Amino acid sequence: MLIVGLVFAAAAAAFHVFIFALESLRWTEPETRKIFGVASEADAQTTKSLAFNQGFYNLFLALAALLGVGFVILGLTTVGLTLMFAGTGMMLAAALVLILSDRTKARAAIMQGTLPLLAVIITAIAVSIG
């Protein structure tokens, strides 16, 4: 069961790396603007530095989760689970903030938060049953 939780954590990390790429590398692209509801090129240029920074937040959360998964695989369970729970827990918290701050972003929050939620729940169950 622990492996299933780690797979969900890795999948959550991969999704957040994808978000990083959109926000930090492809923000002004028409496809990315459509995904994030940024109507014009001018608006994308105005918000580009904010999106760039936000993308790196997503990357760092992904790295924490991935490092955690890696450490668990290497047998450093305490460090690994700590990093994995920190990364996925913050991903989940960010999804909650998104939906609480703007109900029209519910779909995005669900996409952003489902994998980390599953990782947290399944891993916590696996750890608690030993």
Side-chain angles (χ1 to χ4, degrees):
M1 188 170 212
L2 178 60
I3 295 198
V4 174
L6 296 177
V7 167
F8 277 111
F15 185 75
H16 280 73
V17 170
F18 172 69
I19 295 171
F20 156 76
L22 292 175
E23 292 176 336
S24 294
L25 307 175
R26 300 182 44 85
W27 185 250
T28 58
E29 300 290 324
E31 303 84 22
T32 302
R33 292 194 341 252
K34 183 177 178 184
I35 290 169
F36 287 95
V38 179
S40 71
E41 173 74 24
D43 288 343
Q45 289 297 332
T46 299
T47 58
K48 185 177 180 177
S49 66
L50 296 172
F52 182 80
N53 191 33
Q54 183 64 35
F56 273 90
Y57 279 95
N58 283 295
L59 179 63
F60 299 146
L61 295 176
L63 289 174
L66 285 175
L67 280 171
V69 169
F71 281 129
V72 171
I73 290 169
L74 292 173
L76 300 167
T77 307
T78 301
V79 171
L81 289 175
T82 301
L83 284 168
M84 190 281 301
F85 278 124
T88 56
M90 286 185 276
M91 289 173 191
L92 181 55
L96 290 172
V97 168
L98 181 60
I99 197 167
L100 292 173
S101 66
D102 185 351
R103 299 270 187 217
T104 66
K105 302 284 192 267
R107 182 175 183 270
I110 291 167
M111 290 176 62
Q112 177 181 333
T114 299
L115 291 170
L117 175 63
L118 292 171
V120 167
I121 290 172
I122 293 168
T123 305
I125 291 169
V127 169
S128 70
I129 61 176

